[in-house]
Amino acid sequence: MKVKKLLACCLLFIMGMALIGCSGVEASQGKALELYQNLFAGLSEDEYEAYQAWQNSAQSTGEGLGMVSADPDALPDWLKERFESTTTPECFDNIIGQTLFTVPVSAYEKGYTIETPQTKVTETDNGYDISGTLSIKKDGSEQQVDVSVSIQLNEDGRISFVDIYNLSNITTLLA
């Protein structure tokens, strides 16, 4: 009788540990999907105005060299909300520095709406590859482009690297 209880307790413990492991994977996958969707989510008028104000804060960094840099303290809240909470500080800086948020900005400027109707998530050794179709719509017409994003996680489950493989194809459609 005691052996059965011991085995039942062991079985419950093992199942509990397995569920904890699964919830960690689900949480990581959820972060990756959230970041993916935020890369392609549209902007509101207020978000775009905040972006413009940030861009207008740009200052010349050299003696007439034409190099500019926007004030990091004036970074729009929507950028922080979309990317800062799920990423490492270094990854967040790379998203901003490499303007990986350019798709929603360009879409807003050209009057496009964008959607990610089809998404496939593949787990990799150190994160996720997410691929899908980006639907770009304007005035009743629609164009679609395949999109592929690699997201790597650090040992704490935070996103440490993001790469949009075909960003130039997407930005070309939005031009």
Side-chain angles (χ1 to χ4, degrees):
M1 190 73 144
K2 288 186 180 192
V3 173
K4 287 184 180 180
K5 285 185 180 179
L6 180 61
L7 287 174
C9 286
C10 287
L11 182 59
L12 286 173
F13 176 76
I14 290 169
M15 287 175 54
M17 293 304 290
L19 288 174
I20 290 171
C22 288
S23 66
V25 169
E26 289 173 7
S28 295
Q29 185 175 351
K31 286 179 189 177
L33 276 170
E34 178 183 346
L35 180 83
Y36 172 85
Q37 291 168 342
N38 284 335
L39 287 168
F40 306 113
L43 295 182
S44 69
E45 185 175 340
D46 290 341
E47 289 170 328
Y48 184 73
E49 287 174 5
Y51 170 77
Q52 285 297 101
W54 177 54
Q55 289 301 297
N56 291 336
S57 75
Q59 302 295 318
S60 176
T61 60
E63 295 179 20
L65 297 177
M67 303 290 287
V68 294
S69 126
D71 180 6
D73 295 329
L75 191 67
D77 288 339
W78 67 267
L79 280 171
K80 294 175 190 175
E81 291 166 5
R82 287 186 186 194
F83 302 112
E84 195 170 38
S85 67
T86 57
T87 62
T88 63
E90 295 81 12
C91 183
F92 180 71
D93 290 345
N94 283 336
I95 289 170
I96 302 305
Q98 295 180 20
T99 62
L100 295 182
F101 56 86
T102 192
V103 173
V105 171
S106 295
Y108 183 90
E109 290 174 340
K110 302 293 183 181
Y112 290 105
T113 58
I114 49 179
E115 297 174 354
T116 54
Q118 300 173 7
T119 304
K120 179 183 175 191
V121 179
T122 306
E123 189 172 359
T124 64
D125 289 340
N126 54 358
Y128 297 93
D129 286 339
I130 304 176
S131 58
T133 303
L134 186 65
S135 177
I136 302 169
K137 300 175 183 179
K138 181 178 181 180
D139 299 331
S141 67
E142 179 179 354
Q143 299 178 46
Q144 294 188 339
V145 63
D146 291 333
V147 62
S148 182
V149 177
S150 176
I151 296 174
Q152 295 178 4
L153 304 169
N154 69 7
E155 59 279 350
D156 297 327
R158 293 184 63 88
I159 297 169
S160 59
F161 178 79
V162 177
D163 188 15
I164 305 172
Y165 292 121
N166 51 343
L167 184 58
S168 63
N169 295 349
I170 299 165
T171 55
T172 298
L173 283 177
L174 293 171

